[in-house]
């Protein structure tokens, strides 16, 4: 079957903006998510967007959704060293019950001074 | 946000041992999940539960079993651990469309 795809690695300089991209599989997915995982830790829910929205902003985070292309992005403004982590996008496919999430492969963000 | 606890955080155990990974949440969430995270970072759902006495297998086949006798408790058991079970195991619970994760248990089977 199709996978939720992300680029594996992104490197940015401190203070720049980061954009992490994701291509998901199900055009009928109702909710799409971004999670952050720091080394040795579980996943932290950063934000999520309902499928009838194009954009959602929460402080330094901006989520953009292009349903036609099944493309989701996370922009982090003024990226800090504390933002270094792995970022996962996830969807709830329309065929799944119980709010089961399908995750992408994760993008490792490295913030350099 | 949910408080989800997993114990132990780290476990090194020999082949053939029986182990139980504990997961508890304090928010009364009905839905709970177990994921396995391999070294390549991708997460795979191995078990889930809609509520007490409800358990289902996930997308990834697993030799583990789960139980849900109480709303707040969702333990995962391996009857006979093998080196192929070495992985990180993440527990989660959800309310509405928000799913929250515990800190994980890193299991190494020697």
């Amino acid at each position: 079957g199709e996978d939720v795809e992300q680029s594996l690695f992104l490197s940015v300089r401190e203070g720049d903006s980061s954009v992490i991209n994701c291509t998901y599989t199900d055009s009928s997915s109702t909710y799409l998510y971004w999670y952050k995982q720091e080394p040795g830790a579980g996943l932290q829910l950063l934000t999520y967007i309902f499928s009838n929205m194009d954009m959602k902003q929460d402080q330094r985070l901006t989520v953009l959704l292009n349903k036609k292309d099944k493309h989701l992005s996370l922009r982090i403004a003024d990226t800090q060293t504390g933002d270094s982590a792995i970022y996962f996008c996830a969807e709830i496919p329309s065929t799944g019950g119980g709010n089961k999430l399908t995750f992408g492969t994760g993008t490792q963000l490295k913030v350099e001074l | 946000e949910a408080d989800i606890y997993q114990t132990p955080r780290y476990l090194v155990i020999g082949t053939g041992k029986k182990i139980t990974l504990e997961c508890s949440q304090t928010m009364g969430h009905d839905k709970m999940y177990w994921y396995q995270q391999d070294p390549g970072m991708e997460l795979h759902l191995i078990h889930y539960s809609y509520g007490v006495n409800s358990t289902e297998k996930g997308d990834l086949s697993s030799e583990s079993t789960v139980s849900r006798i109480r709303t707040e408790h969702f333990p995962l058991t391996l009857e006979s651990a093998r080196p192929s079970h070495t992985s990180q195991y993440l527990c989660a619970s959800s309310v509405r469309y928000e799913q929250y994760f515990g800190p994980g248990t890193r299991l190494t089977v020697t």
Side-chain angles (χ1 to χ4, degrees), chain A residues 33 35 37 40 48 98-99, chain B residues 9 33 37 96-99:
Chain A
Y33 302 80
Y35 283 86
Q37 186 177 34
Y48 60 95
N99 294 345
Chain B
R9 291 293 315 279
Y33 314 80
Q37 186 174 28
R96 293 187 295 276
Y97 291 102
E98 299 177 1
Q99 191 167 131

Side-chain angles (χ1 to χ4, degrees), chain A residues 3-4 8 30-31 33 35 37 40-45 48 86 88 92 96-108, chain B residues 1 9-10 31 33 35 37 40-43 45 48 50 57-59 88 90 94-104 106:
Chain A
D3 294 326
V4 178
L8 289 180
T30 51
Y31 286 89
Y33 302 80
Y35 283 86
Q37 186 177 34
L43 274 69
Q44 175 193 354
L45 178 60
Y48 60 95
I86 300 171
F88 291 92
I92 298 179
N99 294 345
K100 292 183 290 178
L101 293 173
T102 298
F103 283 88
T105 51
T107 298
Q108 182 155 4
Chain B
E1 192 167 322
R9 291 293 315 279
Y10 304 92
K31 297 182 178 71
Y33 314 80
Y35 293 86
Q37 186 174 28
M41 304 184 297
E42 199 164 353
L43 283 87
L45 180 69
Y48 61 100
Y50 293 143
K57 289 189 180 296
D59 304 322
Q88 168 140 289
L90 293 165
S94 70
V95 59
R96 293 187 295 276
Y97 291 102
E98 299 177 1
Q99 191 167 131
Y100 298 99
F101 283 78
R106 182 164 294 281

Side-chain angles (χ1 to χ4, degrees), chain A residues 14-64:
Chain A
E14 189 177 40
D16 289 349
S17 292
S18 309
V19 179
I20 302 171
N21 294 302
C22 170
T23 302
Y24 60 96
T25 62
D26 187 347
S27 58
S28 299
S29 290
T30 51
Y31 286 89
L32 296 129
Y33 302 80
W34 284 104
Y35 283 86
K36 175 184 180 182
Q37 186 177 34
E38 298 185 57
L43 274 69
Q44 175 193 354
L45 178 60
L46 286 178
T47 186
Y48 60 95
I49 188 168
F50 187 50
S51 58
N52 68 352
M53 299 170 66
D54 298 323
M55 185 184 82
K56 180 180 180 181
Q57 187 162 359
D58 183 1
Q59 299 183 333
R60 292 191 298 122
L61 305 179
T62 302
V63 179
L64 294 177

Side-chain angles (χ1 to χ4, degrees), chain A residues 49-99:
Chain A
I49 188 168
F50 187 50
S51 58
N52 68 352
M53 299 170 66
D54 298 323
M55 185 184 82
K56 180 180 180 181
Q57 187 162 359
D58 183 1
Q59 299 183 333
R60 292 191 298 122
L61 305 179
T62 302
V63 179
L64 294 177
L65 175 60
N66 181 332
K67 287 188 67 176
K68 175 176 170 291
D69 296 334
K70 293 186 285 187
H71 185 260
L72 183 73
S73 67
L74 175 69
R75 178 178 181 269
I76 306 172
D78 187 24
T79 312
Q80 302 298 307
T81 54
D83 294 323
S84 292
I86 300 171
Y87 291 80
F88 291 92
C89 67
E91 62 175 340
I92 298 179
S94 57
T95 53
N99 294 345

